[in-house]
Amino acid sequence: MTETEIALNEYCKKDIAHCTYEELYTALLHIVEAESQKRLYAVKGRKLYYISAEFLIGKLLSNNLINLGLYDDVKACLEAHGKSMARLEEVEPEPSLGNGGLGRLAACFLDSIATLNLPGDGIGLRYHCGLFRQNFTENFQNETPDFWLGSHDWAEKTAKTYPVSLAGKPYTARLYRIAVTGYEGRTNYLNLFDLDTVEQSVIRDGIRFDKTDIGKNLTLFLYPDDSDDAGRLLRIYQQYLMVSAGAQLILEECLERGSNLHNLHEYAAIQINDTHPSMVIPELIRLLCEKDIAFEEAVEIVTKTCAYTNHTILAEALEKWPKHYLEQVVPQLVPIIEELDTLARSQGSDSSTAIIDSDNVVHMAHMDIHFTHSTNGVAALHTEILKNSELNHFYRLYPEKFNNKTNGITFRRWLLKCNPELAAFIESLIGPDFKKDASRLERLADFAEDEAVLKQLSAIKRNNKSALAKWLEHTQNITVNPDSLFAIQSKRLHEYKRQQLNLLYLVHQYFEIKAGHLPPAPLTAVFGAKAAPAYIIAKDIIHALLVLSKVIAADAEVSGWLQIAFIENYNVTAAEKMIPACDLSEQISLASKEASGTGNMKFMLNGALTLGTMDGANVEIAEAVGNDNIYIFGQSSSQVIRRYGNGSYIAREWYEIDPNIRRAVDFLTSEKMLACGSAEHLGRLQNELIHKDWFQTLPDFNAYVVRKNQALADYAGNPLDWAKRTLLNISKAGFFSSDRTIAEYNSDIWHLG
Ligand SMILES: *Cc1c(COP(=O)(O)O)cnc(C)c1O
């Protein structure tokens, strides 16, 4: 008997074959916990705290088993007793603690930090219902609470609590912890705060709830609706709970380890992930002043300890709060923020870098840049745009603070876990080193002319496509043809990401096929995306795609060549099924708007070719693989920025001049679409495209059609060459490992240990 089998028998107290999957799952939870405890090491020197409103961690069981070196053993043991690992995985609910790329990045970072044996914990909130669970009814997105907490979740309730004052009233934050295992590395923690008084019963009617009773609702949802005052105040309450409890935890740990707080930065490095945790700056200053440190010194200590990551240039995400909101929620911070504003104004030459503007609005990102020692962008292009345009005033003030850290993904989850067949094949070709040193993937290029290797690569892709098809059939009742080209666009639904461009292409192809212009290969367009509940046009785009999928499916002339599969409730679990099955990765954001993207990296690593604009990390992917191995199209970021600058883009002109654009846009409100679609929603989307199109879909339409059809032709015309190009993509994916990103953060910003 193996050790695992003995341990399982011990926990279950009966033969494995007679255990339910729930029993096996619970036993493995304990085994993993015990194993990960063995890898807790004392911290010497500086420890990292990564504060983030989101951690999109995905299911943990298999990932932890892989990282602890137990996976193969457990799988074999289960199989020997007639149990399946896949079935076991279904017992675990996916933690609902995140929303999109920003949260997934935080999760990849925690994995890499532990893998590199660096001391570093996450700090966040324990949301009871996450963002929301998405389902489609009558071709519309419908939102319900995503209840995921329960006996099968991994968060351990601790006895640690911290007092937090919200609107002048005392509350008690309780610490929960999830162990984060590194691949052959140490164990760190994800610290999550919650109130004991939160009550899921205040939710009624979808995801609506009474926003005023914060004792009961504070941690119910991630990003609660902010379309009214109560909702916006609630977001500030949430953020303060996270940073106040987090700051107390940090100071407590540093004091325990011997800091006198004057030297806090020698014990702690704090990374502020986007603006949501920005109040940690004034909160730490407040706490240090309470311990009799002078204000000026406290500011200096905090500046040396904290660093800020900017994730976007979209104005909506650079949070700013009316000062009177802060006066209501966190009156204790307002005098500190005012003093910081005075200090900032004494630095800055003009009011554009002020923290509190002339309308009494507080700019959180401005506070971050002034009072941290590092501001980083998340891809080379993004950082350049920050320096040269968006944050240029700050860059001129503090050139030394600005730096780039191109995002990355953990290869454990996004290769070893999600694509075991490909991982094993790579290992058979180049050995196992790539799992910890991703740059070793380069050696795959030696096999670029090896026909047997290329054929095997295609066969693995075909298997993964079949597996996705089966999963779609089983979970969503969607049937797809695994011999078609799978083009996948999965990411949050946002106009800047331009799912609407893909939509217009699909309408265009529909017309072409009906006119007898058959494509070189059948195409399955796969989507996965949630729209923010209050984002009207995003929801209209989902509606249009769902309606179009029905129109096409009902048309026998077209359905053999074209299919749309929109996957419900896109999350990490779905991503793990979709990404290994992708042929063509759709990364079609408006150039300059996608800070980095990380989906693009996952697809590349799993042997998809990218169809993309020169945006975010696509630029670095294109550089790495060369133009022959990627499909680039569309306006450049500088063209786009110029068009915004001089206001020269008028959508209507493009619509009127180009018959293909007009035909596609007009179709949205055609009789066929209205037969199962809503005139209100489709009309609104059409109107938006003709009269506004803020994200410049129409100028890129023709180039997109040409490049995508080129990809279809290449795929159908020369499968071996296609496989070779996917191999070269995989071989160049090493740079996009989050191990590389974290090593850079550590050597440039954190200096841990
Ligand atoms: C990687 C990932 C994202 C981010 O995708 P982008 O294409 O970079 O926006 C969002 N959601 C999930 C579930 C992911 O795994």
Side-chain angles (χ1 to χ4, degrees):
M1 273 210 283
T2 63
E3 255 179 69
T4 312
E5 194 165 356
I6 296 167
L8 271 174
N9 280 330
E10 216 167 88
Y11 276 110
C12 295
K13 304 211 167 17
K14 56 180 155 180
D15 191 76
I16 294 171
H18 297 140
C19 292
T20 65
Y21 280 104
E22 276 72 21
E23 287 167 334
L24 290 169
Y25 174 84
T26 309
L28 285 168
L29 208 99
H30 288 294
I31 292 171
V32 165
E33 221 160 58
E35 265 318 297
S36 47
Q37 296 295 312
K38 294 182 192 158
R39 304 177 188 211
L40 287 168
Y41 306 118
V43 178
K44 290 190 219 79
R46 197 178 278 129
K47 172 175 172 180
L48 169 74
Y49 299 90
Y50 196 88
I51 313 190
S52 176
E54 299 181 35
F55 289 91
L56 190 57
I57 53 183
K59 295 189 185 190
L60 295 173
L61 178 61
S62 289
N63 200 71
N64 279 334
L65 290 173
I66 289 172
N67 283 359
L68 296 168
L70 298 172
Y71 184 85
D72 292 340
D73 224 31
V74 168
K75 187 161 184 275
C77 170
L78 290 175
E79 279 167 5
H81 294 86
K83 299 285 181 186
S84 113
M85 195 69 200
R87 176 68 188 76
L88 181 69
E89 280 179 8
E90 285 175 17
V91 175
E92 181 177 358
E94 175 170 332
S96 201
L97 297 170
N99 151 49
L102 174 140
R104 186 52 235 175
L105 184 78
C108 284
F109 280 6
L110 292 184
D111 180 280
S112 284
I113 291 164
T115 297
L116 296 182
N117 270 312
L118 297 169
D121 286 359
I123 292 178
L125 290 176
R126 177 177 178 264
Y127 305 105
H128 292 231
C129 309
L131 194 69
F132 60 84
R133 171 171 290 278
Q134 177 196 55
N135 50 56
F136 298 139
T137 33
E138 292 178 7
N139 303 318
F140 286 103
Q141 168 175 297
N142 187 32
E143 300 108 19
T144 56
D146 186 3
F147 297 112
W148 69 280
L149 292 171
S151 56
H152 293 330
D153 84 73
W154 290 72
E156 165 216 355
K157 184 176 183 176
T158 75
K160 270 200 176 48
T161 60
Y162 300 92
V164 174
S165 170
L166 298 164
K169 295 197 197 78
Y171 291 83
T172 304
R174 178 177 300 281
L175 173 67
Y176 288 76
R177 290 194 311 191
I178 297 180
V180 176
T181 57
Y183 181 70
E184 299 174 356
R186 63 182 285 141
T187 297
N188 290 321
Y189 281 109
L190 171 54
N191 300 293
L192 301 171
F193 294 104
D194 197 1
L195 301 180
D196 289 349
T197 53
V198 167
E199 272 186 33
Q200 299 180 3
S201 63
V202 305
I203 306 170
R204 51 189 157 72
D205 184 17
I207 56 170
R208 268 186 277 269
F209 61 94
D210 174 10
K211 288 181 189 158
T212 51
D213 191 348
I214 59 165
K216 291 186 176 166
N217 67 26
L218 193 52
T219 52
L220 285 177
F221 289 100
L222 165 64
Y223 303 141
D225 169 41
D226 63 350
S227 59
D228 59 16
D229 276 342
R232 288 189 285 273
L233 289 169
L234 182 55
R235 290 203 184 188
I236 306 177
Y237 282 119
Q238 287 190 329
Q239 294 180 357
Y240 187 65
L241 180 79
M242 172 173 75
V243 302
S244 178
Q248 293 175 66
L249 172 107
I250 294 168
L251 294 184
E252 180 184 86
E253 287 192 356
C254 292
L255 285 166
E256 271 171 23
R257 291 173 44 225
S259 169
N260 59 19
L261 299 187
H262 296 275
N263 57 5
L264 181 68
H265 74 285
E266 291 171 18
Y267 287 80
I270 299 174
Q271 192 69 34
I272 299 174
N273 193 29
D274 211 334
T275 54
H276 319 104
S278 302
M279 283 188 290
V280 75
I281 293 170
E283 176 64 2
L284 273 172
I285 293 171
R286 188 183 73 81
L287 293 169
L288 290 175
C289 290
E290 266 185 2
K291 310 245 177 199
D292 293 329
I293 292 178
F295 182 79
E296 267 93 89
E297 192 195 346
V299 172
E300 197 184 309
I301 293 169
V302 170
T303 307
K304 280 194 288 195
T305 306
C306 296
Y308 159 63
T309 300
N310 176 286
H311 281 273
T312 175
I313 57 172
L314 293 179
E316 69 197 41
L318 288 175
E319 290 179 300
K320 40 192 205 271
W321 300 116
K323 195 167 88 178
H324 68 90
Y325 281 10
L326 299 179
E327 278 160 350
Q328 188 176 332
V329 177
V330 284
Q332 63 274 39
L333 294 190
V334 173
I336 296 170
I337 294 171
E338 284 170 343
E339 291 226 36
L340 293 178
D341 179 58
T342 307
L343 277 176
R345 282 172 184 275
S346 71
Q347 298 274 313
S349 46
D350 66 50
S351 58
S352 65
T353 57
I355 295 173
I356 307 176
D357 69 19
S358 53
D359 295 326
N360 260 327
V361 172
V362 180
H363 295 249
M364 308 311 270
H366 295 189
M367 185 164 69
D368 291 323
I369 302 169
H370 284 293
F371 297 104
T372 64
H373 66 280
S374 162
T375 291
N376 75 281
V378 289
L381 175 68
H382 169 60
T383 302
E384 286 311 301
I385 292 173
L386 291 181
K387 292 199 291 195
N388 300 329
S389 39
E390 287 310 301
L391 299 176
N392 179 256
H393 293 279
F394 288 97
Y395 178 57
R396 279 189 283 165
L397 222 46
Y398 309 113
E400 74 289 351
K401 289 191 185 185
F402 281 76
N403 63 96
N404 176 247
K405 297 286 168 284
T406 298
N407 282 167
I409 55 170
T410 165
F411 283 26
R412 271 73 62 185
R413 184 173 294 272
W414 297 113
L415 180 60
L416 305 189
K417 160 71 177 70
C418 76
N419 202 343
E421 204 185 347
L422 179 61
F425 183 52
I426 293 173
E427 185 166 347
S428 76
L429 297 174
I430 62 170
D433 306 358
F434 70 94
K435 298 176 190 177
K436 284 192 99 170
D437 177 2
S439 67
R440 298 292 180 103
L441 283 175
E442 291 262 9
R443 283 179 296 169
L444 278 178
D446 297 346
F447 300 90
E449 307 299 333
D450 186 328
E451 211 165 292
V453 166
L454 298 178
K455 286 203 163 132
Q456 181 59 19
L457 207 54
S458 306
I460 292 170
K461 181 63 77 181
R462 181 63 174 69
N463 290 344
N464 289 332
K465 288 165 75 173
S466 290
L468 176 63
K470 277 208 196 94
W471 183 74
L472 285 174
E473 186 94 58
H474 166 63
T475 60
Q476 327 236 338
N477 210 12
I478 302 175
T479 311
V480 297
N481 168 13
D483 289 314
S484 61
L485 181 146
F486 282 15
I488 305 189
Q489 186 171 17
S490 57
K491 45 185 72 249
R492 284 306 302 277
L493 211 135
H494 197 293
E495 285 166 279
Y496 88 79
K497 292 178 181 278
R498 297 200 299 187
Q499 282 92 352
Q500 70 273 33
L501 177 57
N502 201 337
L503 165 72
L504 293 179
Y505 168 87
L506 294 165
V507 174
H508 178 80
Q509 281 304 92
Y510 167 81
F511 276 111
E512 292 298 298
I513 293 166
K514 287 209 78 81
H517 305 145
L518 298 183
L523 169 71
T524 300
V526 183
F527 291 87
K530 291 181 183 176
Y535 190 171
I536 289 171
I537 291 293
K539 292 173 110 173
D540 291 344
I541 294 170
I542 291 181
H543 178 62
L545 282 163
L546 289 171
V547 171
L548 181 63
S549 75
K550 305 283 159 65
V551 170
I552 291 173
D555 191 324
E557 260 181 324
V558 183
S559 59
W561 291 102
L562 189 61
Q563 191 184 2
I564 301 176
F566 205 134
I567 290 169
E568 237 172 19
N569 200 44
Y570 181 58
N571 58 10
V572 175
T573 309
E576 288 170 10
K577 313 274 185 201
M578 293 160 76
I579 288 166
C582 179
D583 296 306
L584 193 63
S585 157
E586 302 261 9
Q587 307 299 335
I588 62 176
S589 55
L590 176 64
S592 80
K593 294 295 178 191
E594 183 72 271
S596 163
T598 51
N600 46 4
M601 304 167 185
K602 299 170 201 164
F603 284 108
M604 172 196 196
L605 176 62
N606 283 275
L609 300 188
T610 302
L611 171 59
T613 49
M614 278 302 234
D615 200 17
N618 295 354
V619 175
E620 287 155 89
I621 293 176
E623 261 167 35
V625 301
N627 277 338
D628 290 345
N629 300 311
I630 188 167
Y631 296 93
I632 294 292
F633 72 96
Q635 310 182 78
S636 70
S637 57
S638 46
Q639 278 173 304
V640 171
I641 290 169
R642 215 173 309 128
R643 273 211 173 105
Y644 276 117
N646 59 25
S648 66
Y649 176 57
I650 298 165
R652 187 164 190 109
E653 293 176 358
W654 294 78
Y655 167 78
E656 279 169 358
I657 267 176
D658 188 315
N660 283 339
I661 291 178
R662 203 164 57 241
R663 181 176 71 171
V665 173
D666 286 351
F667 186 74
L668 294 177
T669 53
S670 62
E671 225 171 89
K672 282 217 173 76
M673 290 289 282
L674 293 181
C676 66
S678 141
E680 183 197 342
H681 291 80
L682 295 171
R684 184 165 51 210
L685 174 59
Q686 182 178 60
N687 197 54
E688 183 83 14
L689 284 169
I690 300 173
H691 297 290
K692 195 165 161 210
D693 190 25
W694 183 246
F695 294 99
Q696 303 182 16
T697 311
L698 307 188
D700 283 350
F701 173 79
N702 281 302
Y704 179 54
V705 171
V706 168
R707 288 308 268 162
K708 194 155 164 175
N709 286 343
Q710 182 65 50
L712 271 169
D714 294 347
Y715 175 81
N718 195 344
L720 214 55
D721 187 60
W722 181 278
K724 172 182 162 181
R725 295 191 294 148
T726 69
L727 179 98
L728 291 172
N729 267 262
I730 301 168
S731 80
K732 295 292 184 183
F735 179 75
F736 303 102
S737 162
S738 47
D739 296 348
R740 186 270 312 153
T741 314
I742 288 301
E744 288 181 10
Y745 272 94
N746 190 38
S747 67
D748 297 348
I749 304 173
W750 301 335
H751 312 291
L752 303 177

